[in-house]
Amino acid sequence: MIIRRTARATLTLAVVAAALCAAAGCNKKSEPANEAASEMPFHHIPADSLKRELARFAPVEVTYDASILAPAERDALAKLVEAARIMNEIFLRQVWAGNIQMRDELRAAADAAGTPSLADDLYHFFCINAGPWIRLEHNRPAIGTMTKPAGAGYYPEDMTREEFEAFVAAHPDQKDAFTGYFSVIKRSELGGLEAVPYSDTYELLGDASRLLNEVADILSSPEAKTQFANGVDYTTLSAFLRSRAAAFQSNDYFQSDMDWMDVKDNILDVTIGPYEVYEDGLFNYKAAFEAVIAIRNPADSKRLDELKNFLPAMERNLPIPNEMKNMSRGTDSPISVIDVVYAGGDIKAGVHAIAFNLPNDERVREAKGSKKVMLKNISRAKYDKILMPIASIVLDQSHMEHVNFDSYFGFVLLHELSHGLGPGTITLPDGTKTTVNQVLQTLYSPLEECKADVMGMYNGAFLVQKSYMTQEELNRMYITFLPGLFRSVRFGLHEAHGKGNMIQYNWFKDQGAIVHDPATDRYTVVLEKMPEAARSLTRELCLLQARGDYAAAEAFLDTWGTVPPEVERIVGKLTSIPTDVEPLYDRSSI
């Protein structure tokens, strides 16, 4: 699968975002230093350790082609970035109730001390990690000594899983409110628990609603329509922005998710709202706010959009019994290739996403499928600064000529496509109808991430059969997968992508599809064994999901998600390579 990058003039975010940020009133301001403000407000890890943590993120200038935007699109973009910053603010509150106070005190200390300074490093660290914990190390405290609450800011810090489950069992009429995506659990006045909708919890959603409506007004005005390039029509985007603005107030996101699936024929690309559940370490129930404001690449998007036509056939081709396949799921699954202008909230907390597959609401997926969005400029940065340096250390030298960006980008695309395939809504042996996410809870994320990877490779072989890909392209993808595995596992076993990659490593090694040479400490991919290894693991993961057996899923993770000694040693050899990138989105806005 060849994805060519068109050479074009680019404009760094630093130039444009400065104006956008100034308009939003969010630039960090220097204030006169004073002795009290310059003192460190919190206990923290040693200064040299803090420097090492910051060095794990490679700073990258975010570039995109602003020349293609009409004046109305530029005006809309500024307001969208402002709305995305609000998603940042809400997400910080979701991470931990004390986050805002800590952030403000760290920023005050940094302003008073000036830069460069220890205070600025602490504030910088907080911005990257959306809190005081090292996300790359299972949330080890770096600022302060407090353990990160397992339930983040979604639940009372003193609430246990047992208390929650007992309350839901005793109040079955409240189960949907308690286990739903869009509520915060709080202590009631009587000391029990209550579910409070996001719309009643986060007052900032009112400002976000106003901004989205203002953008819709700009893009739908008769004057603006005369400025747009041929074929650009913001009717569907405006409809989504209005319905998402309404959802922020009503707490009902179904219609706006449906409207988001219909967005097409535009240059500005917008994803905004509560989506992923990774931050909820207790149950994976609660959705975190995030936003991606971007410029869409129409040529790449159109070519890749052809893939959605294969989705029904891919579902039929899954190596599981027919009754477990999800043939009722919608197939209107658009694919967007974008260059990010600004990202905020959950999508960039610690590890920055390079693609996503949304929405997660199974009702929407069954009606329309899901949208796959590829963050091309972020993907390119990770490939250049991280994946290629890793490949030069872990791969047999004979493989290096087969590693390229197109293979990496194609692998990510098939990963996202595969999120929309396989079991979703399931029926348990006792007749209960539920979803894989609800029944597997915190086990869902590592299994789903692993499934998307291996099913992506399995579907790659299917596309070769259909003459959409060549065997050479698939072989390159098989090889590129391996350094990508080491890239992800460095995020830590606690992180869904990292643990999912360890399952793959152990399975593929057991199947003889990857071979480690102790003499060179490098790996060879055995191409002829990759298809069956991908097929067998795809089957195993889909069966676990379809059966919804928590105990079996837990046993599988315990068996296959372990870290062999050679992986620990090789990961230790990668310490000079950044773990992730830090796109320079103007961090003072968090």
Side-chain angles (χ1 to χ4, degrees):
M1 184 182 308
I2 304 299
I3 307 169
R4 291 180 173 84
R5 184 177 182 86
T6 303
R8 60 191 186 185
T10 59
L11 184 67
T12 65
L13 182 66
V15 175
V16 174
L20 300 178
C21 191
C26 61
N27 283 328
K28 188 171 80 172
K29 299 177 181 178
S30 297
E31 298 177 357
N34 63 72
E35 191 64 28
S38 64
E39 294 177 359
M40 295 302 101
F42 301 99
H43 172 80
H44 55 83
I45 60 176
D48 57 345
S49 297
L50 185 62
K51 289 287 188 186
R52 284 195 295 272
E53 290 303 324
L54 293 175
R56 296 170 78 172
F57 297 88
V60 294
E61 291 289 345
V62 180
T63 60
Y64 58 94
D65 185 3
S67 67
I68 65 174
L69 299 179
E73 290 168 320
R74 290 173 180 266
D75 292 342
L77 182 65
K79 288 183 179 292
L80 288 169
V81 170
E82 192 177 345
R85 289 196 175 98
I86 292 175
M87 299 300 106
N88 259 336
E89 286 293 317
I90 296 175
F91 177 66
L92 287 178
R93 290 156 173 78
Q94 292 183 305
V95 171
W96 173 46
N99 244 3
I100 298 302
Q101 180 178 345
M102 177 177 281
R103 184 274 310 273
D104 291 348
E105 292 185 27
L106 289 169
R107 183 161 56 188
D111 283 347
T115 56
S117 68
L118 173 61
D120 192 64
D121 284 347
L122 288 167
Y123 176 60
H124 186 180
F125 172 91
F126 184 98
C127 290
I128 291 175
N129 289 277
W133 300 283
I134 304 173
R135 287 181 177 263
L136 296 177
E137 294 184 13
H138 201 10
N139 292 311
R140 179 167 65 85
I143 306 172
T145 58
M146 176 184 171
T147 299
K148 187 176 188 292
Y154 299 115
Y155 309 90
E157 290 181 16
D158 62 348
M159 189 203 77
T160 63
R161 288 176 60 96
E162 292 73 20
E163 180 186 3
F164 179 93
E165 291 170 342
F167 185 93
V168 171
H171 303 83
D173 59 314
Q174 298 185 45
K175 180 179 179 180
D176 289 346
F178 269 67
T179 62
Y181 288 130
F182 313 122
S183 66
V184 173
I185 308 304
K186 296 184 177 181
R187 292 281 177 202
S188 68
E189 293 182 358
L190 299 178
L193 300 175
E194 61 178 347
V196 183
Y198 282 178
S199 54
D200 293 338
T201 302
Y202 306 116
E203 294 183 2
L204 287 169
L205 287 173
D207 292 332
S209 293
R210 171 182 56 79
L211 287 163
L212 295 191
N213 280 319
E214 289 175 0
V215 172
D217 289 343
I218 291 172
L219 295 177
S220 59
S221 70
E223 179 184 359
K225 290 180 179 179
T226 65
Q227 303 175 12
F228 302 146
N230 290 337
V232 175
D233 183 350
Y234 285 104
T235 301
T236 53
L237 177 59
S238 296
F240 161 67
L241 293 173
R242 294 190 195 282
S243 63
R244 182 48 52 104
F248 285 158
Q249 301 300 301
S250 70
N251 215 54
D252 184 351
Y253 287 86
F254 175 75
Q255 186 57 51
S256 57
D257 277 344
M258 295 283 282
D259 291 340
W260 185 68
M261 289 294 298
D262 293 335
V263 174
K264 58 183 178 181
D265 298 332
N266 51 273
I267 297 299
L268 296 181
D269 195 275
V270 182
T271 302
I272 187 167
Y275 288 108
E276 304 289 8
V277 298
Y278 303 119
E279 196 68 21
D280 177 2
L282 274 180
F283 297 105
N284 273 188
Y285 285 159
K286 305 304 176 185
F289 281 89
E290 62 186 349
V292 179
I293 310 303
I295 294 176
R296 191 167 179 264
N297 184 316
D300 277 349
S301 298
K302 183 177 180 180
R303 184 185 187 284
L304 296 183
D305 203 39
E306 299 170 4
L307 277 173
K308 74 180 183 182
N309 298 324
F310 289 103
L311 289 173
M314 286 178 174
E315 185 75 38
R316 289 192 297 270
N317 189 55
L318 291 179
I320 54 176
N322 287 334
E323 61 270 19
M324 293 182 174
K325 296 174 183 177
N326 197 344
M327 297 309 304
S328 63
R329 181 176 282 161
T331 58
D332 185 15
S333 299
I335 299 173
S336 290
V337 180
I338 62 174
D339 283 328
V340 181
V341 174
Y342 185 90
D346 181 62
I347 197 165
K348 69 177 185 66
V351 177
H352 199 301
I354 55 177
F356 52 86
N357 177 76
L358 295 172
N360 289 323
D361 189 332
E362 275 299 328
R363 298 172 301 167
V364 181
R365 286 175 177 250
E366 290 187 3
K368 294 195 173 187
S370 57
K371 184 184 294 187
K372 291 77 180 166
V373 182
M374 312 289 293
L375 286 56
K376 192 169 186 179
N377 53 349
I378 305 301
S379 297
R380 185 82 222 191
K382 294 201 183 195
Y383 175 83
D384 290 340
K385 293 184 176 293
I386 301 170
L387 189 130
M388 277 302 292
I390 289 176
S392 68
I393 292 175
V394 305
L395 284 181
D396 185 87
Q397 288 298 314
S398 65
H399 281 344
M400 286 302 296
E401 64 180 299
H402 302 291
V403 180
N404 61 26
F405 175 71
D406 292 334
S407 298
Y408 171 62
F409 197 63
F411 178 83
V412 175
L413 171 63
L414 290 179
H415 169 105
E416 297 304 330
L417 277 174
S418 298
H419 272 309
L421 299 170
T425 299
I426 61 174
T427 302
L428 301 179
D430 64 2
T432 301
K433 190 173 183 179
T434 184
T435 66
V436 177
N437 182 17
Q438 288 281 331
V439 71
L440 294 185
Q441 300 179 6
T442 56
L443 306 182
Y444 169 76
S445 293
L447 290 175
E448 176 63 19
E449 293 302 330
C450 184
K451 182 210 81 174
D453 270 356
V454 297
M455 188 185 288
M457 288 186 278
Y458 176 73
N459 286 330
F462 174 79
L463 291 173
V464 170
Q465 296 173 12
K466 298 299 181 181
S467 300
Y468 185 84
M469 289 176 62
T470 67
Q471 185 63 49
E472 180 184 2
E473 288 170 335
L474 179 60
N475 289 345
R476 287 179 179 273
M477 192 178 295
Y478 285 152
I479 292 171
T480 304
F481 139 81
L482 190 54
L485 183 154
F486 277 95
R487 182 186 72 85
S488 291
V489 80
R490 296 173 73 207
F491 300 150
L493 281 178
H494 66 284
E495 199 275 340
H497 297 74
K499 197 171 186 73
N501 274 279
M502 283 318 307
I503 294 171
Q504 295 170 65
Y505 175 89
N506 290 314
W507 189 279
F508 279 75
K509 193 164 182 285
D510 182 73
Q511 297 285 309
I514 59 175
V515 176
H516 174 249
D517 183 351
T520 63
D521 215 16
R522 293 175 179 269
Y523 290 86
T524 301
V525 178
V526 183
L527 296 174
E528 60 269 23
K529 293 188 177 182
M530 287 293 290
E532 174 55 28
R535 187 205 69 82
S536 60
L537 184 50
T538 297
R539 173 180 169 81
E540 192 71 24
L541 293 165
C542 285
L543 290 175
L544 285 170
Q545 291 186 332
R547 291 165 179 161
D549 187 332
Y550 187 95
E554 187 173 44
F556 183 85
L557 281 164
D558 289 343
T559 300
W560 293 98
T562 57
V563 185
E566 72 269 15
V567 171
E568 290 188 1
R569 184 181 65 256
I570 292 173
V571 167
K573 295 167 63 175
L574 307 177
T575 54
S576 63
I577 301 171
T579 304
D580 203 52
V581 297
E582 180 196 3
L584 301 180
Y585 294 132
D586 177 24
R587 58 186 168 85
S588 65
S589 66
I590 297 200

